[in-house]
Amino acid sequence: MSRPRAKMTNNFPGCPVESTLSLLDGKWKGVILYHLITSGTLRFSELQRKLKSVTQRMLTKQLRELEESGIVSRTVFAVVPPRVDYSLTPLGRTLEPVIMALGQWGETHVVCQDGKKYVVMPEEASDLANEEALSAA
C-alpha cells in the first residue's frame, strides 16, 4: 500500500514539487482554490453549493487544512445565524497562476461527455477545437 504524500515529504526535503503538492493534496482543495480565485470571498454555504458532491464534513476538513497551511483565511462574524467567510491569503493568491494553468490544461485536454471523462492527446485537442469552431460558424 502506498503512503500518503504528506508522510513522504520528509523523505524528499529537497523536492519543491513534492512539498507543494503536499499542501494541495486533497480531493477538493484545488476546486476550493479555483472558486476562491474566480469568485473572491465566499461563505461556507456558497462553497457548499458550488461543490455539490462534497459533504459538509469533508469541506470543513479541507478548508481547515488550507487554513493551517496559511493559504486560506477564515473570518467568523458574531451574528445570528453564524456567518463564516473564506478568502485567499496573500500566500494563497500566489497559487493563482498554478490553479489557472491547471484549469486551462483541463479545458484543452479533458473532455466530459455523457457522464464520462477522458483525456485527449494534443493533436486530438486541436482537431476537436477545429471541429467546434466549424460547427459554431
Side-chain angles (χ1 to χ4, degrees):
M1 180 186 273
S2 64
R3 294 186 299 167
R5 183 179 289 129
K7 292 183 180 178
M8 293 175 58
T9 56
N10 294 336
N11 297 328
F12 305 104
C15 182
V17 173
E18 193 68 36
S19 298
T20 303
L21 288 174
S22 71
L23 293 175
L24 302 177
D25 196 17
K27 183 174 182 178
W28 298 101
K29 287 181 185 174
V31 183
I32 290 167
L33 292 174
Y34 174 79
H35 286 297
L36 290 174
I37 288 167
T38 58
S39 301
T41 301
L42 293 171
R43 288 179 160 186
F44 184 87
S45 58
E46 291 171 320
L47 276 168
Q48 209 169 16
R49 277 193 294 274
K50 289 179 182 287
L51 307 168
K52 294 176 182 13
S53 301
V54 71
T55 63
Q56 182 175 344
R57 180 178 179 208
M58 179 56 73
L59 180 56
T60 300
K61 180 180 184 283
Q62 300 283 277
L63 285 166
R64 282 184 183 155
E65 289 176 10
L66 287 168
E67 185 181 5
E68 287 172 18
S69 300
I71 295 171
V72 168
S73 170
R74 179 178 187 257
T75 306
V76 180
F77 297 91
V79 294
V80 176
R83 177 179 156 201
V84 180
D85 286 353
Y86 291 92
S87 60
L88 292 173
T89 63
L91 177 64
R93 281 262 161 231
T94 65
L95 288 168
E96 185 172 349
V98 176
I99 299 298
M100 298 314 285
L102 287 170
Q104 186 177 12
W105 188 90
E107 286 178 12
T108 304
H109 298 289
V110 180
V111 177
C112 299
Q113 285 181 331
D114 304 322
K116 295 181 181 176
K117 179 172 40 174
Y118 58 93
V119 178
V120 294
M121 296 299 150
E123 62 276 356
E124 294 174 39
S126 63
D127 292 344
L128 188 62
N130 290 335
E131 288 175 22
E132 289 175 1
L134 288 175
S135 65

